[in-house]
Amino acid sequence: MLLSPLGYAAKTNWSEIYQINYNASADYLFFVTQGKWQVVDGNNQTLCSPYYVQVSSAVAGRDKLMSIGLAAKLAGLSVEFHGECSTDPAYFNATYIIVR
C-alpha cells in the first residue's frame, strides 16, 4: 500500500532556510530558519515549535534532501518539511521536503 507523503501528521510552516548545519560527530543534518519553525497537524493544531529541523543518518535519501534544501536556500525559496516532533522540543525529525 502506498501512502502519500502529504498525509503525514506533522508539517512545518513555509519558511526560508536561514542556515544549514551538519554535525559530523553525530551524523545529523539541521535546517534553521529565523526564529522557530511552527509544526502543525492536519487540523492546523500546533504540535511543537522547534528551532531545528533535523535529519538523521537513518533517513534514506538524506543526501538528496540536503541538496534540495541547499538549493532552496541559495535560491531564496520557501520550504516545508514533513515528519514528526522530537521528544526534545527544540527539534523536529524531518523525512520529506517541499520547495516553492
Side-chain angles (χ1 to χ4, degrees):
M1 172 187 225
L2 295 175
L3 298 175
S4 167
L6 299 178
Y8 285 5
K11 62 183 178 180
T12 66
N13 57 306
W14 286 97
S15 188
E16 288 187 26
I17 296 170
Y18 173 73
Q19 181 175 310
I20 299 172
N21 301 347
Y22 176 72
N23 180 333
S25 297
D27 198 16
Y28 268 81
L29 170 66
F30 303 92
F31 295 97
V32 182
T33 190
Q34 291 189 323
K36 293 183 176 184
W37 299 91
Q38 289 298 315
V39 178
V40 298
D41 63 14
N43 297 317
N44 285 328
Q45 299 296 314
T46 301
L47 300 174
C48 59
S49 298
Y51 287 103
Y52 304 97
V53 168
Q54 67 181 3
V55 184
S56 78
S57 59
V59 173
R62 179 177 67 146
D63 57 336
K64 294 169 187 70
L65 199 147
M66 181 178 71
S67 295
I68 293 166
L70 181 59
K73 179 187 178 1
L74 294 174
L77 299 173
S78 294
V79 297
E80 177 184 79
F81 292 96
H82 291 215
E84 62 186 17
C85 295
S86 172
T87 54
D88 182 331
Y91 299 92
F92 178 77
N93 299 313
T95 56
Y96 196 87
I97 186 173
I98 302 170
V99 179
R100 69 169 180 189

